[in-house]
Amino acid sequence: MTRTIIEGGYVVTVDAAGTEHAVGHVIVDDGVITAVGAGPAPAAAREGAEIVDATGCLVTPGLVNTHHHLYQWLTRGYAQDALLFDWLTALYPLWSRIDAGLTGSGAAGAMAVLARSGCTTVGDHHYIFPKGSGDIVGAIVESAQRVGVRLHATRGSMDRGASQGGLPPDFAVETTDAALAASAEAVERYHDPSFGSLVHVAIAPCSPFSVTADLLSEAAVLARSLNVRLHTHASETIEEDAYCAERFGKSPTQYLEDLGWLGDDVWMAHCVHLDDTAIARYAATGTGVAHCPSSNARLASGIAPVRDLVRAGVPVGLGVDGAASNESGQLGIEIREAVLMNRLRTGADSFSVRDGLRIATIGGARVLGRDAEIGSLEPGKVADIAVWRVDGVEHAGILDPVAALGLGAMPPLHRLYVGGRGIVEDATLVTAEEPIIAEEVAAASRELAGRL
């Protein structure tokens, strides 16, 4: 048995009771948490264990990213001052020239940065599959293994091109049948439903304005027949609301519900423009939400009603979103962004730093259907653990260690563990060479730009 003991830090379990230990310990045996408590670990547990001194650190569950587009790591800095629809129109021609090799390079860069920001579980939404582009989902899986993070990949799709009233150009979309067949193949090839699995795959048609009703409804049937989750974008912008009203005569929520797209096996990205009726439907059906504050700000989409969603009982997680609309790509800073932006919407006392940490951890785990495995520091759960150093010049003296993370600058990581495996030590990725990944990203970005 391999045992690791993390002790001496401020331990925030994010369990149902909100248990915290000003000085505490976490014991990990063979990648699973076996004990959490106050003070140092018991003497009987110490023999033969690796002892990690967390003095001066905040110990939290690893962060869960519920929405990303990893390939976009190669196209940061484009269309800097555009709204969503204009931004998409500007970037579709470039994205439609992606392939598996370029996607793998971009994914490795994005996931390296996510890991260095405390993220242990990465939810990715990839929806562009040009003809002859190779095994893109497989390339993303390989990059996740290289970096060492837990992956929730989705096999996305688009089948409504511009000639059918959609937003993407026709050359960027697939046929409905091809998208469904490829989705089933990706699930069968890569999805591992076992406890503590490092790879899950969901099915994820892109959005109401890039996908036909046939693909949405048939994808829902397919996913449920394969017992995997469903994901798409919903209610991101007022332009999307107008599109759905004009084309379908319904709100995005009504449209998606009519096609079988509300349920406790579904999560939606953004959900900025939900009214009380829509929030009630999300709550009643257990439909999850990926809140992406920085990207929503970058594209001026608005601030999602997160306080109201949480109070209604809707599962809410945190997301970076595509790196082309959030060039930072760091999940840790999204806690601060979520806290600040939701206070702008609903008041200074409406969303605490602990609320922010909760949606970044157990909230995200619930959105992905894995709250029995990850998202909190409790015995029996997989050891996905972040150890943040909060005794440096940026944070020393902040009254509350959780506020150091949720209101201060993002702290450097002392350690990051995925299933008990250390992947970050002293703010450096140890599973792969960061300079090599950076060189690969730069080369891939230049190659992609040269394909236009």
Side-chain angles (χ1 to χ4, degrees):
M1 181 177 66
T2 301
R3 170 169 288 175
T4 301
I5 297 174
I6 303 166
E7 65 180 9
Y10 191 103
V11 178
V12 183
T13 68
V14 201
D15 64 7
T19 306
E20 300 182 9
H21 303 291
V23 178
H25 67 269
V26 181
I27 301 176
V28 176
D29 290 319
D30 292 336
V32 176
I33 297 170
T34 54
V36 182
R46 306 177 73 84
E47 184 175 353
E50 176 193 6
I51 309 296
V52 177
D53 183 5
T55 303
C57 296
L58 170 69
V59 183
T60 72
L63 308 185
V64 179
N65 182 18
T66 58
H67 185 67
H68 206 117
H69 307 292
L70 296 171
Y71 75 95
Q72 291 182 15
W73 196 250
L74 303 180
T75 58
R76 291 174 293 163
Y78 289 75
Q80 295 177 28
D81 305 311
L83 297 172
L84 175 66
F85 279 17
D86 293 336
W87 174 84
L88 286 169
T89 302
L91 282 161
Y92 275 139
L94 192 59
W95 294 338
S96 65
R97 289 163 173 80
I98 201 84
D99 61 25
L102 295 180
T103 299
S105 296
M111 286 189 278
V113 169
L114 283 165
R116 292 181 69 232
S117 71
C119 178
T120 51
T121 297
V122 177
D124 181 49
H125 186 188
H126 193 100
Y127 51 82
I128 296 184
F129 294 85
K131 291 180 181 178
S133 56
D135 185 5
I136 285 177
V137 175
I140 296 168
V141 170
E142 183 178 343
S143 292
Q145 293 169 341
R146 178 184 182 188
V147 175
V149 293
R150 195 177 308 282
L151 177 66
H152 273 245
T154 68
R155 207 300 178 175
S157 52
M158 300 189 297
D159 71 338
R160 185 194 295 277
S163 64
Q164 296 177 280
L167 199 63
D170 286 348
F171 61 80
V173 305
E174 302 173 278
T175 67
T176 304
D177 288 344
L180 291 167
S183 298
E185 181 183 3
V187 171
E188 291 164 4
R189 181 177 295 185
Y190 296 113
H191 179 65
D192 177 3
S194 64
F195 180 86
S197 162
L198 289 171
V199 182
H200 277 207
V201 178
I203 294 176
C206 183
S207 66
F209 50 82
S210 61
V211 172
T212 63
D214 285 346
L215 180 52
L216 281 167
S217 60
E218 291 180 37
V221 172
L222 175 63
R224 287 168 180 140
S225 73
L226 297 173
N227 197 29
V228 298
R229 299 179 80 77
L230 286 161
H231 181 49
T232 193
H233 297 88
S235 300
E236 183 174 359
T237 66
I238 56 174
E239 291 82 11
E240 179 187 336
D241 276 9
Y243 178 92
C244 289
E246 179 180 350
R247 188 166 188 90
F248 312 124
K250 303 173 183 178
S251 71
T253 301
Q254 293 169 326
Y255 176 66
L256 290 166
E257 182 166 24
D258 288 348
L259 295 173
W261 269 80
L262 293 189
D264 60 6
D265 57 351
V266 181
W267 84 103
M268 310 288 194
H270 303 296
C271 298
V272 173
H273 299 280
L274 295 180
D275 59 18
D276 290 344
T277 300
I279 292 172
R281 294 306 304 144
Y282 274 61
T285 57
T287 304
V289 170
H291 175 43
C292 305
S294 290
S295 175
N296 294 157
R298 204 294 206 167
L299 298 172
S301 300
I303 303 171
V306 173
R307 182 198 65 172
D308 296 339
L309 288 164
V310 170
R311 288 184 177 180
V314 175
V316 178
L318 203 56
V320 168
D321 199 18
S325 63
N326 180 356
E327 279 75 2
S328 162
Q330 298 171 308
L331 186 59
I333 66 172
E334 296 301 313
I335 298 173
R336 184 175 190 269
E337 295 301 306
V339 170
L340 298 183
M341 290 190 190
N342 285 286
R343 290 182 179 196
L344 279 175
R345 182 179 175 117
T346 50
D349 61 350
S350 66
F351 202 77
S352 72
V353 292
R354 284 166 176 79
D355 292 332
L357 179 60
R358 180 163 288 275
I359 67 170
T361 52
I362 193 65
R366 184 182 172 202
V367 164
L368 297 180
R370 301 196 71 176
D371 46 317
E373 301 171 75
I374 61 174
S376 61
L377 303 180
E378 299 181 79
K381 288 200 170 184
V382 179
D384 288 6
I385 305 170
V387 184
W388 310 86
R389 184 155 293 286
V390 292
D391 59 354
V393 66
E394 300 95 336
H395 305 94
I398 293 181
L399 179 64
D400 174 10
V402 182
L405 173 62
L407 292 177
M410 189 179 72
L413 282 171
H414 179 47
R415 294 286 190 275
L416 186 72
Y417 296 92
V418 177
R421 177 194 182 196
I423 66 169
V424 175
E425 294 182 9
D426 297 324
T428 300
L429 188 70
V430 296
T431 50
E433 294 289 334
E434 292 179 12
I436 292 175
I437 291 177
E439 290 173 4
E440 292 173 357
V441 166
S445 182
R446 288 193 299 269
E447 181 177 344
L448 181 58
R451 293 182 179 182
L452 275 178

